[in-house]
């Protein structure tokens, strides 16, 4: 057996045997798969050997038994001998448990398996293929776009043009060849024309697809905007309830403290007995009649209610997602010209005053009136809202402070109205008809009155416990809101006279503007205070910077040729508006003009925030200057008035905070915009 290759290399026999069995099972791959797996545990190694022998004999045995050679017999005997080995039996038993699917998969390469896994599509995906209205197939689109994307296409175009030139220059070409060449050129050009049509159709289809996506995104954005509006509405209602609960807690705490104070001052029974004994010994010890005639302190001076600031817990952000120049709402606030307006925050509380001698408080979130503030005997010319504190200055020469958080106002409209009525008031009022608020809703809001001026109040501004007021009596008064009294009076004319007498400060002297003084020009047009710094604009066109610690003018800014009607400053710049139809931006560090803008009419109101400067310039629109982009644009009802067939009134007052703008007009309408 040494010369027999089977005996020398038993592994070769085993490998041959495995290959034979593998081919036999692969030949049976079309049979149902469980033919081995279902009965694998019941097959013995001997059964596998017999099956393998039959398969081996069937595949390799001669068809004619008579011609069988001795070599074949020896080989088969060696195979049977090898099959009786335990290792071969175990390997054959393991192969018998392998399914035909696994055997077939083992013959596939890794790349082919990956390709089949990636290209396989489930039936449910194939059944839900979307409809496509494109008249060209994907292959046609690829064929039309392919020459432009490759260098070969460019070379082809160059060869065609060079060939045309050679044909035109050649003289030895026959007419038939020239005709055939022209036909080929026409066919090529028509083919290129068809390809261009395909590409044009593809571009049009892409544009329509983008338009559909944009429309879907706009729809999604509108839905999310409505959701955000609902969330802010719920947030505002919850914040109102929180403030109401805080007020009740403070009132209950005040009652508890008062009860404890009374209990502490109430004498005990022993103390009462001691006092009674003293009265028995000396009945004339003290005359009670003298003290009964002395009026109590409470009857002589009214008690000043404390000023308590309540800041908003959250700030609305809905207006930030509107396009600039979008109209949020219009409110029919008054029947006469708006003289002053201000608000605390976007979608918050607004206060308006007009020539109809009324002051009204509005809920900007719902667009309805919260109540009337009664107390002034004439029109209010100046007002400021800061958190829940309101200061109003009137023609009756008085200043009143109000606490708007003490109003009896229900934002849900529960004052006798049903839910449908409340919705109608808040959102379904296209004509903006005025709805009367509940009677006495603002009776508890007044805190105290400041009286010292002898002329109408034309400007005021407060920050913290400091309030500065300007009057037609040509004075500025410095008020301490904690004590409720005037602590300093600044005489503008005296300061101007002092400046005229001092040659070094001649710029601060009173300067006639040279223009005819309008009757509407106030002596003190506008002012702003920050700690001990005060800026004041007057009718002579000058802006004076005061130091409240010394009561002296620190610097005077000369430039306007008309009365200053409005001003505002921040850390670096001061912006002023004047009747000379200009807005000037000053650099507070140097006192020089940083920039200036001219308009067609007088500036009656101006305000700026972090990004924009808005102003009322005697037109039916608000002039907006974008400081970031450096451009001017108009915002207001007058922009689309011609298209809508409307004739809006002139804008008199304007206020802006964080891109949320209010504009009050001469006809009493207040417009709410985003800018």
């Amino acid at each position: 057996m040494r010369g027999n290759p089977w005996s020398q290399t038993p592994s070769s026999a085993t490998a041959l045997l495995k290959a034979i069995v593998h081919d036999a099972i692969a030949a049976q791959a079309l049979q149902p798969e469980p033919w081995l797996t279902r009965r694998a545990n019941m097959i013995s190694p001997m059964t596998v050997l017999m099956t393998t022998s039959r398969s081996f004999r069937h595949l390799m045995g001669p068809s004619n038994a008579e011609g069988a050679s001795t070599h074949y017999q020896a080989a088969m005997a060696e195979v049977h001998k090898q099959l009786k080995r335990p290792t071969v039996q175990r390997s054959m038993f393991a192969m018998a448990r392998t399914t035909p699917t696994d055997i077939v998969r083992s013959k596939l390469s890794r790349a082919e398996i990956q390709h089949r896994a990636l290209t396989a599509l489930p039936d449910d995906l194939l059944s839900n293929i979307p409809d496509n209205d494109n008249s060209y197939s994907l292959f046609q689109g690829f064929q039309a776009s392919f020459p432009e994307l490759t260098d070969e296409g460019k070379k082809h175009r160059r060869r065609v043009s060079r060939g045309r030139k050679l044909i035109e220059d050649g003289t030895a070409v026959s007419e038939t060849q020239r005709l055939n060449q022209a036909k080929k050129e026409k066919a090529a050009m028509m083919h290129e024309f068809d390809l261009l049509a395909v590409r044009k159709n593809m571009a049009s289809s892409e544009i329509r697809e983008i338009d559909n996506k944009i429309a879907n995104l706009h729809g999604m954005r509108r839905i999310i905007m409505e959701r955000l509006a609902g969330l802010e509405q719920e947030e505002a209602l919850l914040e109102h309830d929180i403030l109401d609960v805080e007020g009740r807690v403070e009132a209950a705490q005040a009652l508890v403290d008062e009860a404890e104070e009374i209990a502490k001052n109430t004498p005990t029974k022993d103390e009462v007995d001691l006092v009674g004994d003293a009265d028995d010994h000396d009945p004339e010890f003290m005359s009670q009649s003298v003290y009964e005639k002395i009026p109590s302190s409470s009857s002589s001076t009214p008690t000043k209610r404390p000023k308590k600031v309540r800041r908003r817990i959250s700030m609305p952000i809905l207006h930030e997602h509107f396009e600039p120049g979008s109209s949020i709402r219009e409110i029919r606030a008054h029947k006469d010209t708006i003289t002053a307006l201000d608000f605390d925050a976007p979608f918050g509380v607004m206060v308006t005053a007009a020539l109809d001698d009324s002051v009204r408080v509005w809920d900007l979130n719902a667009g309805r009136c919260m109540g009337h503030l009664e107390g002034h005997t004439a029109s209010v010319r100046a007002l400021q809202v800061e958190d829940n504190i309101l200061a109003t200055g009137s023609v009756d020469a008085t200043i009143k402070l109000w606490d708007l958080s003490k109003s009896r106002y229900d934002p849900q409209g529960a004052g006798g109205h049903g839910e449908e009525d409340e919705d109608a008031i808040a959102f379904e009022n296209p004509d903006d008809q005025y709805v009367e608020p509940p009677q006495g809703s603002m009776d508890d809001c007044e805190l105290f009155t400041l009286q010292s001026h002898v002329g109408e109040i034309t400007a005021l501004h407060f920050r913290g416990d400091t309030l500065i007021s300007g009057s037609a009596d040509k004075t500025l008064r410095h008020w301490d809101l904690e004590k409720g009294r005037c602590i300093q009076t600044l005489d503008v004319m005296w300061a101007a006279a002092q400046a005229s007498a001092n040659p070094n400060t001649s710029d601060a002297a009173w300067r006639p503007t040279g223009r005819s003084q309008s009757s509407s020009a106030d002596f003190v047009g506008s002012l702003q205070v920050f700690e001990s710094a005060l800026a004041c604009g007057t009718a002579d066109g000058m802006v004076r910077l005061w130091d409240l610690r010394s009561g002296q003018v620190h610097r005077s800014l000369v430039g306007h040729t008309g009365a200053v009607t409005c001003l505002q400053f921040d850390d670096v710049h001061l912006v002023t508006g004047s009747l000379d139809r200009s807005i000037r931006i000053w650099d507070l560090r140097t006192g020089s003009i940083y920039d200036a803008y001219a308009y067609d009419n007088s500036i009656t109101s101006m305000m700026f925030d972090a990004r924009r400067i808005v102003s009322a310039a005697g037109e039916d629109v608000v002039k907006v200057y974008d400081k970031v982009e450096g451009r001017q644009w108009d915002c207001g009802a007058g922009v689309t008035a011609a298209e809508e067939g409307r004739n809006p009134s002139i804008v008199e007052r304007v206020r802006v905070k964080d891109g949320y703008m209010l504009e009050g007009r001469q006809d009493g309408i207040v417009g709410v915009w985003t800018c």
Side-chain angles (χ1 to χ4, degrees):
M1 296 296 294
R2 181 171 298 180
N4 191 352
W6 292 89
S7 61
Q8 294 179 0
T9 58
S11 60
S12 300
T14 305
L16 177 62
L17 178 62
K18 289 183 179 181
I20 294 171
V21 175
H22 181 276
D23 293 339
I25 296 176
Q28 301 286 339
L30 296 178
Q31 298 294 333
E33 183 175 327
W35 71 280
L36 282 176
T37 58
R38 192 166 51 241
R39 301 181 60 186
N41 296 328
M42 296 184 294
I43 298 177
S44 62
M46 188 55 65
T47 305
V48 174
L49 294 177
M50 295 174 61
T51 304
T52 305
S53 300
R54 287 195 297 270
S55 301
F56 186 84
R57 188 179 298 109
H58 172 71
L59 293 173
M60 299 187 62
S63 57
N64 188 6
E66 296 179 357
S69 62
T70 57
H71 178 70
Y72 173 75
Q73 296 294 335
M76 287 300 301
E78 185 64 27
V79 166
H80 282 287
K81 183 178 179 181
Q82 293 292 334
L83 288 176
K84 293 179 181 179
R85 293 174 177 268
T87 56
V88 175
Q89 291 180 5
R90 284 195 298 269
S91 62
M92 292 303 300
F93 183 73
M95 182 181 294
R97 300 187 62 178
T98 304
T99 62
T101 304
D102 295 335
I103 296 176
V104 173
R105 284 177 180 173
S106 64
K107 300 294 291 183
L108 301 177
S109 64
R110 180 182 299 178
E112 188 174 359
I113 293 174
Q114 292 175 351
H115 173 72
R116 292 191 180 187
L118 293 176
T119 57
L121 295 176
D123 295 337
D124 55 350
L125 186 62
L126 294 175
S127 62
N128 295 326
I129 298 177
D131 296 333
N132 188 6
D133 55 353
N134 197 342
S135 58
Y136 298 98
S137 65
L138 182 62
F139 176 74
Q140 288 175 322
F142 178 77
Q143 189 179 18
S145 304
F146 181 76
E148 192 180 68
L149 301 177
T150 59
D151 297 333
E152 188 65 28
K154 299 177 181 178
K155 294 179 181 179
H156 174 72
R157 289 188 177 183
R158 288 196 294 269
R159 286 198 300 268
V160 170
S161 60
R162 191 180 301 111
R164 290 176 184 172
K165 187 175 181 180
L166 292 175
I167 290 175
E168 293 175 356
D169 295 340
T171 56
V173 180
S174 64
E175 295 296 332
T176 304
Q177 292 178 347
R178 192 184 299 276
L179 177 62
N180 294 334
Q181 189 65 31
K183 289 182 178 180
K184 290 182 180 179
E185 279 191 43
K186 180 182 177 181
M189 294 172 66
M190 290 299 297
H191 178 67
E192 187 175 357
F193 185 80
D194 294 338
L195 294 182
L196 289 176
V198 174
R199 291 166 57 189
K200 186 173 71 173
N201 184 272
M202 290 170 55
S204 178
S205 299
E206 290 181 3
I207 292 175
R208 285 195 297 269
E209 184 178 358
I210 292 174
D211 291 339
N212 293 333
K213 291 180 179 180
I214 292 175
N216 294 333
L217 290 176
H218 278 299
M220 295 173 60
R221 188 178 189 275
R222 184 170 58 252
I223 294 173
I224 297 175
M225 288 279 286
E226 293 175 357
R227 186 188 309 165
L228 178 59
L231 293 175
E232 290 196 349
Q233 181 78 13
E234 295 179 4
E235 186 181 53
L237 296 176
L238 183 58
E239 184 171 351
H240 180 273
D241 295 340
I242 291 173
L243 294 177
D244 187 28
V245 172
E246 288 181 355
R248 294 203 303 268
V249 169
E250 291 177 358
Q253 185 64 39
L255 292 176
V256 170
D257 295 341
E258 184 179 356
E260 292 178 353
E261 188 69 21
I262 293 174
K264 186 185 300 182
N265 296 330
T266 301
T268 62
K269 184 178 180 181
D270 296 337
E271 293 175 349
V272 172
D273 294 339
L274 279 170
V275 173
D277 294 341
D279 291 341
D280 293 339
H281 291 296
D282 190 3
E284 300 296 328
F285 177 76
M286 183 177 294
S287 175
Q288 299 293 331
S289 60
V290 176
Y291 294 94
E292 289 175 357
K293 296 179 181 179
I294 300 176
S296 62
S297 61
S298 60
S299 62
S300 61
T301 56
T303 304
K304 183 176 75 69
R305 299 173 62 181
K307 176 176 71 72
K308 184 174 180 58
V309 177
R310 298 180 183 274
R311 302 188 183 278
R312 290 179 63 95
I313 303 175
S314 61
M315 295 299 293
I317 59 174
L318 178 64
H319 64 283
E320 299 177 0
H321 302 283
F322 286 100
E323 290 293 329
S326 301
S327 175
I328 298 178
R329 69 169 70 246
E330 280 191 354
I331 301 174
R332 173 70 66 176
H334 297 271
K335 297 181 180 179
D336 210 334
T337 302
I338 302 291
T339 57
L341 81 161
D342 198 9
F343 66 104
D344 60 346
F347 297 99
V349 176
M350 175 184 67
V351 181
T352 59
L355 291 179
D356 56 8
D357 296 347
S358 65
V359 180
R360 294 172 179 172
V361 185
W362 302 85
D363 181 2
L364 289 174
N365 197 22
R368 73 164 81 86
C369 183
M370 299 169 56
H372 298 178
L373 295 176
E374 300 177 353
H376 287 292
T377 59
S379 300
V380 170
R381 295 289 309 279
L383 62 86
Q384 179 188 352
V385 179
E386 195 70 27
D387 295 322
N388 61 303
I389 303 301
L390 166 68
T392 57
S394 172
V395 178
D396 61 8
T398 63
I399 301 169
K400 289 183 178 292
L401 260 71
W402 316 77
D403 187 353
L404 300 180
S405 65
K406 298 183 181 298
S407 63
R408 295 192 294 273
Y409 168 71
D410 185 6
Q412 298 181 355
H417 298 282
E419 184 178 355
E420 296 181 358
D421 295 336
E422 187 272 332
D423 291 339
I425 293 173
F427 305 107
E428 299 176 4
N429 196 12
D431 297 330
D432 293 307
Q433 298 296 327
Y434 176 71
V435 179
E436 283 292 338
Q439 291 293 332
S441 59
M442 296 289 170
D443 289 347
D444 299 334
C445 292
E446 185 176 354
L447 295 177
F448 51 86
T449 303
L450 304 176
Q451 299 180 1
S452 285
H453 284 290
V454 295
E456 62 177 285
I457 309 298
T458 59
L460 63 83
H461 186 267
F462 73 90
R463 183 179 179 88
D465 291 331
T466 300
L467 185 145
I468 306 295
S469 59
S471 172
D473 60 9
K474 301 180 181 179
T475 62
L476 306 174
R477 294 189 182 268
H478 179 191
W479 305 84
D480 186 350
L481 298 182
E482 187 66 26
K483 299 178 181 178
R485 61 186 180 89
C486 179
I487 60 177
Q488 186 176 196
T489 301
L490 306 175
D491 193 331
V492 179
M493 295 303 296
W494 180 84
Q498 290 294 108
S500 300
N502 189 354
N504 296 327
T505 59
S506 59
D507 289 341
W510 186 263
R511 300 172 59 254
T513 59
R515 295 177 179 270
S516 59
Q517 293 296 323
S518 173
S519 59
S520 61
D522 299 321
F523 183 84
V524 179
S526 181
L527 54 86
Q528 181 182 348
V529 63
F530 180 78
E531 295 181 354
S532 62
L534 170 65
C536 172
T538 52
D540 62 345
M542 293 188 61
V543 179
R544 293 175 174 85
L545 307 180
W546 299 73
D547 187 348
L548 294 178
R549 295 169 295 185
S550 62
Q552 301 292 326
V553 176
H554 176 66
R555 176 180 291 174
S556 298
L557 305 179
V558 181
H560 283 294
T561 59
V564 176
T565 58
C566 45
L567 64 82
Q568 183 185 352
F569 65 83
D570 56 12
D571 297 338
V572 179
H573 296 107
L574 183 144
V575 184
T576 58
S578 170
L579 294 181
D580 63 1
R581 300 176 297 181
S582 70
I583 288 180
R584 297 173 185 263
I585 304 176
W586 309 79
D587 192 331
L588 292 175
R589 297 165 295 186
T590 61
S592 60
I593 294 179
Y594 175 77
D595 204 349
Y597 310 101
Y599 296 96
D600 297 332
N601 301 290
S602 301
I603 308 298
T604 58
S605 181
M606 180 276 306
M607 189 176 182
F608 68 84
D609 59 8
R611 182 183 178 97
R612 57 199 67 80
I613 302 174
V614 299
S615 59
E619 299 183 18
D620 55 3
V621 295
V622 176
K623 299 295 184 179
V624 182
Y625 173 69
D626 194 318
K627 296 186 291 185
V628 177
E629 299 180 0
R631 66 183 182 96
Q632 299 264 4
W633 58 284
D634 296 339
C635 178
V639 176
T640 59
E643 300 176 359
E644 299 175 357
R646 301 172 57 189
N647 186 20
S649 183
I650 301 300
V651 177
E652 282 290 330
R653 295 291 182 264
V654 62
R655 305 294 290 174
V656 65
K657 291 180 182 179
D658 299 329
Y660 188 89
M661 187 186 72
L662 304 181
E663 44 101 2
R665 308 172 196 164
Q666 290 182 355
D667 57 0
I669 293 179
V670 174
V672 185
W673 304 82
T674 59
C675 64

